[in-house]
Amino acid sequence: MEQTPMIRDLINDLRTDLPVLIAGPTASGKSGLALAIAEACGGVIVNADASQVYDCWRIISARPSEQEEARAPHSLYGHLPFDAPYSVGHWLREVRPLLAGPRPIIVGGTGLYFAALTEGLADIPKTPPEIRIEGNAQTLDAMIAALDPDTRARIAMDNRARIQRAWEVQRSTGRGLAAWQDDTAPPILAEGRYHGIVLDSPKDWLTPRIETRFDAMLSGGALSEARAMLDRFDANLPSCRAIGAAEAIGVVNGDITHKQAVESATIATRQYAKRQRTWARARMGHWRHVDAQALCED
């Protein structure tokens, strides 16, 4: 991202002794802003995107390129194999020691990661493997029906990963996820101990960026990533739930056309961006909200 006057003003406002947290919807320019801050002020860019921790989807998950990674230190990007178990708890444990080193610039679209870092994380026991297998076989409606009302009110009803996680917690502990969350330990980064930035992205500006991005991904290497994963792809694995992964596999298998893949992935990405905007309004109201369009076009 070019250092426009607006970006320079934003960078000048950042005290160098506090971590910087950058959130916002997909395709809003978060990684570009993080790189601009790192190049101007130093620090380590730390991933806070659940899909970008895996080594199989650099292009599909929009991980920083090798060229971008060479311009500033990066951490927690592509460091896990496709089938590694990983949760917000794993991420929080990996982030904690990074806070003691060069200033972290934590950037991503997974709101739950930021919530765990700045609001605290419940100490929920690990899910037994047999419960996870049982959950994989459940329908979405069956899992939703089994959740307690408090938990149901807190999670998006169209997000299978979150619903299954809540179902697994309740099934394995006999206690709803909401109850566990209410017994949350103090956060690692309390309010006032970080710079929180949200890139607000007008829908009419963001949608065209989303529509062109996946088309560019398919033409720019995503199909090669899909071919490399053909014999390992498992829709139940968190890594394989990255938006666009199933569509790229479908193109490689000849099940859908390039155009159909773009249409399907674009719809899913727009829906995800809407959930991200909703999360930011509800949970990050006290962060600094910046107009992403103005930031990019200033």
Side-chain angles (χ1 to χ4, degrees):
M1 182 180 287
E2 182 184 350
Q3 279 211 21
T4 62
M6 187 174 178
I7 290 177
R8 286 196 292 271
D9 289 344
L10 177 61
I11 290 172
N12 289 336
D13 288 342
L14 301 178
R15 288 171 47 199
T16 58
D17 59 339
L18 292 180
V20 178
L21 281 53
I22 304 173
T26 187
S28 60
K30 300 184 297 296
S31 295
L33 177 59
L35 189 56
I37 293 172
E39 289 185 315
C41 306
V44 178
I45 299 174
V46 180
N47 173 42
D49 186 292
S51 293
Q52 293 182 351
V53 300
Y54 297 103
D55 62 4
C56 50
W57 306 123
R58 179 186 290 274
I59 295 171
I60 286 176
S61 69
R63 268 169 48 202
S65 67
E66 292 180 358
Q67 292 77 14
E68 289 168 330
E69 289 182 337
R71 291 166 56 185
H74 286 68
S75 185
L76 305 187
Y77 287 93
H79 67 301
L80 297 176
F82 78 102
D83 57 350
Y86 201 72
S87 66
V88 63
H90 289 98
W91 181 82
L92 202 61
R93 285 189 290 273
E94 291 190 311
V95 165
R96 185 187 289 270
L98 298 178
L99 299 176
R103 179 168 73 166
I105 303 165
I106 305 174
V107 55
T110 302
L112 193 59
Y113 284 6
F114 287 116
L117 183 63
T118 63
E119 300 174 18
L121 179 67
D123 187 17
I124 303 172
K126 291 183 178 179
T127 299
E130 61 272 18
I131 297 296
R132 179 144 300 142
I133 293 172
E134 185 181 348
N136 289 341
Q138 295 285 319
T139 67
L140 193 63
D141 288 342
M143 288 190 290
I144 291 173
L147 296 178
D148 66 280
D150 287 343
T151 298
R152 225 171 11 239
R154 295 189 189 183
I155 56 179
M157 290 293 100
D158 58 350
N159 189 324
R160 181 181 174 92
R162 298 279 180 261
I163 291 167
Q164 182 167 338
R165 171 59 176 157
W167 181 91
E168 289 171 357
V169 168
Q170 187 167 305
R171 179 78 172 82
S172 59
T173 69
R175 189 180 185 206
L177 180 61
W180 283 102
Q181 291 173 338
D182 289 341
D183 292 335
T184 301
I188 295 174
L189 286 181
E191 187 172 351
R193 294 182 55 201
Y194 62 88
H195 293 290
I197 299 171
V198 175
L199 293 186
D200 287 333
S201 306
K203 183 179 177 181
D204 59 353
W205 173 78
L206 187 65
T207 296
R209 289 169 64 91
I210 291 172
E211 290 172 344
T212 58
R213 187 163 81 157
F214 190 68
D215 188 23
M217 286 178 176
L218 286 182
S219 302
L223 296 182
S224 295
E225 291 182 341
R227 290 188 189 98
M229 282 291 292
L230 267 181
D231 61 342
R232 299 177 291 168
F233 187 81
D234 180 350
N236 290 317
L237 290 175
S239 67
C240 296
R241 295 175 188 157
I243 294 176
E247 286 82 359
I249 291 287
V251 173
V252 170
N253 281 332
D255 298 328
I256 57 176
T257 65
H258 180 114
K259 181 179 179 181
Q260 289 171 327
V262 171
E263 290 174 349
S264 176
T266 297
I267 291 170
T269 305
R270 287 204 309 262
Q271 292 170 339
Y272 181 49
K274 181 180 179 180
R275 293 196 297 270
Q276 289 173 308
R277 286 193 294 265
T278 300
W279 178 285
R281 286 194 297 269
R283 306 288 285 272
M284 299 170 172
H286 58 291
W287 289 28
R288 179 173 181 171
H289 286 245
V290 178
D291 186 326
Q293 181 177 4
L295 200 68
C296 290
E297 300 177 356
D298 182 26

